[in-house]
Amino acid sequence: MFNIKYMFSLSTSLKLIPLTATVCCALFTVCAWSYGPFKTPATAYIKSGDSVLLNQEISARRGSKIYIQFGQVLPSTEVEQAKPFCYFHLYRDPSVIDTEASLVAGGFEIVKTINHYDFGSLHGARLQLASRALQPSPRGWVTQYASEKIIITRLKLKSADQPEVIELSCGIWAVLNERNHLSIDEIRTALGDVVTLELELE
């Protein structure tokens, strides 16, 4: 004799399977599309032989990096790292590292482009190690604690007039699941009128 209650339960369960699959699929889709932006990295357009034009004299009070964000030259302490920023990296002798660093207007040849990741923290927050990515936490397996990095695009530079300039680097502090490397528009927004990129592919 058939167990009517069992058959009803089985029938109900079978009907719920497609519904459950649909709900899971919808949730996965929402999660998959909840990150961004994932735009074409600037290095798809910037190639060796292109040029970086510094349109004005810029300086920093000390150190070896001169930061630019939103078209303004800023001290490193005022840079909003969670938004696109750039900096010129200079080679400086340790004996003068605590004096003013400055560059005059001029052109630089791009000799190499590199997409890179630096470990980082935001506004003095404690540095989190990548190994945390494989450890569970109250927020889940993939968390900001596991992925806080500076996503960097490095443009290696060469100039006969200012040979101390090593590179122009542009980046953003982010969780790697949120986005990829800066787009060409994001870099140009960070540089503003201070620096012009002359690219053959555009």
Side-chain angles (χ1 to χ4, degrees), residues 15-33:
K15 288 179 181 178
L16 287 176
I17 289 175
L19 178 60
T20 304
T22 301
V23 171
C24 290
C25 182
L27 289 174
F28 177 80
T29 301
V30 170
C31 292
W33 289 100

Side-chain angles (χ1 to χ4, degrees), residues 107-189:
F108 304 86
E109 179 186 352
I110 299 172
V111 296
K112 188 176 183 180
T113 64
I114 302 171
N115 285 328
H116 181 69
Y117 299 95
D118 281 342
F119 287 106
S121 58
L122 189 63
H123 304 310
R126 184 168 63 88
L127 179 66
Q128 305 294 341
L129 299 180
S131 60
R132 292 287 296 274
L134 300 179
Q135 300 178 8
S137 76
R139 299 184 183 181
W141 285 86
V142 180
T143 70
Q144 289 190 358
Y145 298 108
S147 306
E148 292 169 347
K149 289 188 178 182
I150 308 295
I151 303 174
I152 295 285
T153 299
R154 301 194 189 282
L155 309 180
K156 297 291 185 178
L157 303 179
K158 180 176 69 175
S159 169
D161 296 327
Q162 300 185 82
E164 70 276 18
V165 177
I166 301 171
E167 63 194 22
L168 174 65
S169 291
C170 296
I172 188 169
W173 179 94
V175 177
L176 298 188
N177 288 335
E178 286 184 353
R179 58 160 305 127
N180 58 348
H181 287 81
L182 296 179
S183 68
I184 192 69
D185 289 338
E186 288 176 313
I187 289 180
R188 282 180 165 147
T189 296

